[in-house]
Amino acid sequence: MREACTVTRWILLCRAQFMERKAQKPPSPPAMENGTRSCEERPPADPVATVTEGAAKIVFPSANEVFYNPVQEFNRDLTCAVITEFARIHLGAKGIQIKVPGEKDSEKIAVDLSDQEEEIAGKNENLAPGDWPRTAAVGEICEEGLRVLEGLAASGLRSIRFALEVPGLQSVVANDASARAVELMHRNVELNGVAHLVQPNQADARMLMYQHQKAPERFDVIDLDPYGSPAPFLDAAVQAVSDGGLLCVTCTDMAVLAGNSGETCYSKYGAMALKSRACHEMALRIVLHSLDLHANCYQRYIVPLLSISADFYIRVFVRVFTGQAKVKSSASKQALVFQCVGCGAFYLQRLGKASGDPGGRIKFSAACGPPVTPECEHCGQRHQLGGPMWAEPIHDLDFVGRVLDAVTTNPGRFHTSTRIQGVLSVVTEELPDVPLYYTLDQLSSTIHCNTPRLLQLRSALLHAGFRVSLSHACKNAVKTDAPPEALWDIMRCWEKECPVKRERLSESSPAFRILAVEPRLKANFNIREDANPSSRQRGLKRFQANPEANWGPRPRARPGGKAASEDLAGRRRLLQNKRKEPAEDPAQRAARLKTFPCKRFKEGTCQLGDQCCYSHSPAAPVASGDILIEECPETTTKISPGPKAADGGIPGPGVD
């Protein structure tokens, strides 16, 4: 009994000493989170930078510029314009009209894009006169409005701009996985006075979207603007967007999508990208294919509204619908691409075939192909295989026209309104049913001829009875429904006006084989009035000009921020041209060149004599890589002149 009491007393003494040491110890790092640290113990605040864009004003750490990229202002302005028109359509079906700042009082009549919304609009015709029409203004909560999710919000600038510039919103969830970013979002939300609309949230974007798979909990608009590829988020996004909802996706991994790494593109998007002049449009179609493929797994499908290639990224806006019958036609909307490695001619092969029967039903079957022979019929080279990619129109021209009209009538709404007008004007002029394009310099460089004027080539195609348009993705694009044989016939006719020196062409080159065939089509290069598109005549800002020095995607965010901009600029200067060899001394270069024999001296045509930079000595050492044969002591005794080669070439070495 006494021993038990002694043990108990010893345990109580140890516990008291432990609690005393714990009370004296400073709080642990986990206890300091969530704002439990006192003001005296907080480290000094980082210097902040203030940025005003649109109607929003944000602050972010000046040592971490990854929180704001000014080049993406066009992206954010265009997104606000697209969501505004989507809200006009979505809420117009419910009898709610939106009021956009700067617009005239004349109300726009919304045109529905889905049968389901037409039924809802029919029900609203019986509303009482006092309830019709209802309006939704900017900055106000609309109970039947859009529920928006920005999955990767960073500083929250985009979400705050939605709350301040887009009417008809019910709520905006600004999500980010970084605790520091969420803390910054809280600060910016309070600064702009939109706490009633914008809800900062810290979570993994995929888990958050997976938690909103049920129909009543889905978001009407989901915006994904990740660093690099959005591939990890697409599966969750197509499930978390409502039926007929809007999905906005940005991709900045253009090196992968443009064909520099086809196997990486396949692992992310399920398609092989090809290196071609039309790589930017092909990147858009690969992303649309990936979105539709993810949606098909859940009996859903996509309808593209607008697909843009701009700066260093691509941006797609699609609506997601549910329907098992429509999903069956998805295979016939995808296509493989056969592209010649010599002349660049391409052909599309659909994956599926949809045909109608006399009863009005649609029958789906596998497509027949391929559309090419083993060798290109124009230049004799082989074909590369790319895709699958989206082969249907990548824009809804009616919707694009609505956005263009809204921006044109209210140009003061966005800072980049002039560029939005130019890009969307070119989009409305594109041929919607013609995937991919050629470029002017590609056609002329293939046959090594002078480049014709853009209007001359467009006029020749129009005179021949084909359609032709530009592409917003490339300044020199030639998008046409003319087959490759007609296009090469036109280029053959152009070559006759600007002849090429045939003796300089190799007989196996694509140029020699293409020009060896006489054109069957007589091209007319007289300029036609309709060859000059309207956007070009009006001088709109159609294509991107470099907005600033070193513009492009920002570096990936790092914990605790990154070095100051001055340090980053110094590091860039230090690493510039690091793979280039240092400048060679002229004397060293002259000595090095003297080690190589002069080819013209061997042929007896060199007239420079001692002034020649190469050696005229018949016994000059022959370089093999970086090691000269005469300098290898182990092999000089074993190398002896061998018999002369049968073909009269250089004799091979003999071994004793």
Side-chain angles (χ1 to χ4, degrees):
M1 188 67 177
R2 185 179 301 173
E3 293 178 357
C5 293
T6 302
V7 173
T8 303
R9 191 179 299 110
W10 180 78
I11 293 175
L12 293 174
L13 179 62
C14 292
R15 181 178 298 176
Q17 293 176 353
F18 173 76
M19 295 301 294
E20 183 179 359
R21 289 194 301 268
K22 184 177 181 181
Q24 297 175 356
K25 185 178 180 180
S28 59
M32 297 180 187
E33 297 180 359
N34 302 322
T36 59
R37 183 181 358 207
S38 63
C39 296
E40 291 78 5
E41 297 176 349
R42 287 182 178 273
D46 294 334
V48 297
T50 304
V51 171
T52 300
E53 183 180 293
K57 180 180 180 181
I58 66 166
V59 296
F60 61 92
S62 59
N64 200 338
E65 296 177 356
V66 73
F67 280 104
Y68 177 72
N69 189 353
V71 180
Q72 288 272 25
E73 184 179 5
F74 171 75
N75 186 340
R76 291 183 283 266
D77 286 351
L78 181 63
T79 302
C80 290
V82 169
I83 296 180
T84 299
E85 293 309 308
F86 176 74
R88 199 189 304 273
I89 294 170
H90 186 78
L91 298 181
K94 300 179 181 180
I96 303 175
Q97 295 179 348
I98 63 174
K99 297 178 63 177
V100 180
E103 276 190 0
K104 296 181 179 180
D105 295 335
S106 58
E107 301 293 346
K108 296 185 177 181
I109 304 300
V111 180
D112 270 334
L113 297 184
S114 67
D115 298 336
Q116 183 180 5
E117 291 172 352
E118 289 181 359
E119 297 176 0
I120 298 174
K123 296 178 181 178
N124 289 329
E125 293 179 355
N126 300 323
L127 292 176
D131 298 335
W132 181 273
R134 293 174 291 171
T135 59
V138 168
E140 298 178 357
I141 298 178
C142 180
E143 296 299 335
E144 302 179 44
L146 302 178
R147 292 167 297 176
V148 183
L149 167 65
E150 185 186 3
L152 308 152
S155 63
L157 172 61
R158 193 181 297 251
S159 296
I160 294 172
R161 288 196 59 182
F162 292 163
L164 295 175
E165 301 178 29
V166 179
L169 301 183
Q170 179 180 344
S171 63
V172 180
V173 178
N175 178 78
D176 202 283
S178 169
R180 189 179 184 187
V182 175
E183 181 181 354
L184 184 62
M185 278 190 282
H186 278 288
R187 184 176 179 180
N188 288 324
V189 166
E190 294 295 334
L191 178 64
N192 290 270
V194 291
H196 61 292
L197 274 175
V198 181
Q199 306 168 7
N201 183 76
Q202 181 183 357
D204 183 273
R206 292 166 293 186
M207 296 306 301
L208 179 62
M209 290 187 286
Y210 280 132
Q211 293 169 0
H212 290 76
Q213 294 180 12
K214 296 181 180 179
E217 301 177 358
R218 291 173 177 169
F219 297 98
D220 299 305
V221 179
I222 295 181
D223 190 296
L224 296 176
D225 189 1
Y227 182 89
S229 173
F233 308 97
L234 298 184
D235 182 77
V238 296
Q239 298 182 65
V241 66
S242 61
D243 192 20
L246 179 65
L247 182 57
C248 318
V249 181
T250 301
C251 306
T252 58
D253 56 336
M254 289 304 297
V256 172
L257 287 167
N260 286 352
S261 182
E263 65 281 358
T264 304
C265 184
Y266 179 82
S267 66
K268 292 182 177 181
Y269 301 99
M272 287 290 293
L274 298 179
K275 279 189 177 182
S276 68
R277 301 299 176 92
C279 59
H280 290 95
E281 183 177 329
M282 190 172 186
L284 287 169
R285 295 182 178 276
I286 286 177
V287 173
L288 292 175
H289 158 75
S290 182
L291 282 169
D292 193 56
L293 187 62
H294 282 288
N296 292 163
C297 297
Y298 309 101
Q299 300 302 313
R300 313 192 82 183
Y301 61 96
I302 67 167
V303 176
L305 295 182
L306 178 62
S307 306
I308 294 293
S309 172
D311 302 331
F312 54 85
Y313 60 90
I314 60 175
R315 179 76 164 167
V316 297
F317 302 89
V318 302
R319 298 187 76 182
V320 182
F321 293 93
T322 303
Q324 185 177 6
K326 294 291 186 67
V327 170
K328 292 182 179 180
S329 62
S330 291
S332 59
K333 299 177 182 178
Q334 321 298 327
L336 297 172
V337 182
F338 290 85
Q339 178 179 281
C340 175
V341 299
C343 63
F346 59 84
Y347 303 85
L348 267 63
Q349 170 66 63
R350 298 272 181 158
L351 292 184
K353 181 180 178 181
S355 57
D357 58 6
R361 295 173 298 180
I362 299 178
K363 182 180 179 181
F364 302 99
S365 58
C368 300
V372 296
T373 57
E375 294 183 352
C376 177
E377 59 179 321
H378 309 293
C379 66
Q381 302 292 326
R382 306 287 291 180
H383 290 92
Q384 285 182 322
L385 182 61
M389 69 174 193
W390 182 265
E392 293 294 303
I394 61 177
H395 314 290
D396 186 323
L397 295 183
D398 292 335
F399 181 82
V400 175
R402 294 170 57 89
V403 178
L404 179 58
D405 291 341
V407 176
T408 304
T409 57
N410 189 11
R413 186 183 176 196
F414 302 114
H415 183 257
T416 61
S417 291
T418 55
R419 187 183 175 195
I420 293 177
Q421 294 177 41
V423 172
L424 295 187
S425 296
V426 179
V427 166
T428 57
E429 296 169 352
E430 289 184 10
L431 294 176
D433 56 342
V434 178
L436 305 183
Y437 53 82
Y438 298 93
T439 61
L440 199 62
D441 54 331
Q442 169 196 357
L443 296 173
S444 57
S445 63
T446 300
I447 60 176
H448 303 289
C449 71
N450 293 334
T451 304
R453 292 170 53 197
L454 181 62
L455 294 185
Q456 288 179 315
L457 183 60
R458 288 171 58 91
S459 298
L461 288 167
L462 292 173
H463 281 302
F466 302 107
R467 296 179 298 155
V468 62
S469 75
L470 296 175
S471 172
H472 78 278
C474 182
K475 187 175 182 179
N476 296 323
V478 180
K479 183 184 284 284
T480 178
D481 59 349
E485 51 268 21
L487 206 55
W488 287 125
D489 274 350
I490 293 176
M491 293 305 299
R492 291 185 185 104
C493 294
W494 173 257
E495 188 270 339
K496 291 183 180 298
E497 298 185 6
C498 305
V500 175
K501 294 183 179 180
R502 306 293 181 90
E503 62 273 8
R504 294 187 177 183
L505 300 178
S506 171
E507 295 184 0
S508 60
S509 65
F512 184 88
R513 296 192 176 187
I514 291 175
L515 296 177
V517 179
E518 286 296 320
R520 290 174 292 181
L521 180 107
K522 182 63 177 178
N524 183 3
F525 294 99
N526 294 328
I527 304 299
R528 291 178 43 150
E529 293 184 1
D530 55 347
N532 196 10
S534 174
S535 61
R536 189 173 184 269
Q537 294 178 10
R538 290 182 290 165
L540 298 180
K541 188 177 180 180
R542 302 171 297 161
F543 304 103
Q544 170 65 26
N546 293 353
E548 61 182 16
N550 301 320
W551 68 282
R554 298 296 187 189
R556 184 182 293 274
R558 300 175 181 175
K562 67 170 186 176
S565 58
E566 297 82 8
D567 297 340
L568 180 61
R571 181 172 177 80
R572 285 174 176 170
R573 286 192 297 269
L574 179 64
L575 298 179
Q576 190 174 11
N577 299 327
K578 66 176 183 179
R579 296 186 178 180
K580 294 184 178 180
E581 296 182 359
E584 190 176 12
D585 182 77
Q588 294 179 351
R589 182 176 182 273
R592 180 173 59 82
L593 293 179
K594 278 295 184 180
T595 62
F596 296 95
C598 179
K599 295 181 179 179
R600 294 185 179 180
F601 176 76
K602 290 184 177 181
E603 298 172 356
T605 59
C606 184
Q607 305 296 332
L608 298 179
D610 295 338
Q611 301 296 327
C612 182
C613 61
Y614 296 104
S615 173
H616 285 189
S617 174
V622 180
S624 176
D626 294 328
I627 302 176
L628 299 178
I629 298 178
E630 288 81 1
E631 296 177 356
C632 184
E634 298 181 0
T635 58
T636 50
T637 58
K638 296 184 180 181
I639 298 179
S640 60
K644 189 174 182 62
D647 58 355
I650 299 175
V655 179
D656 293 336

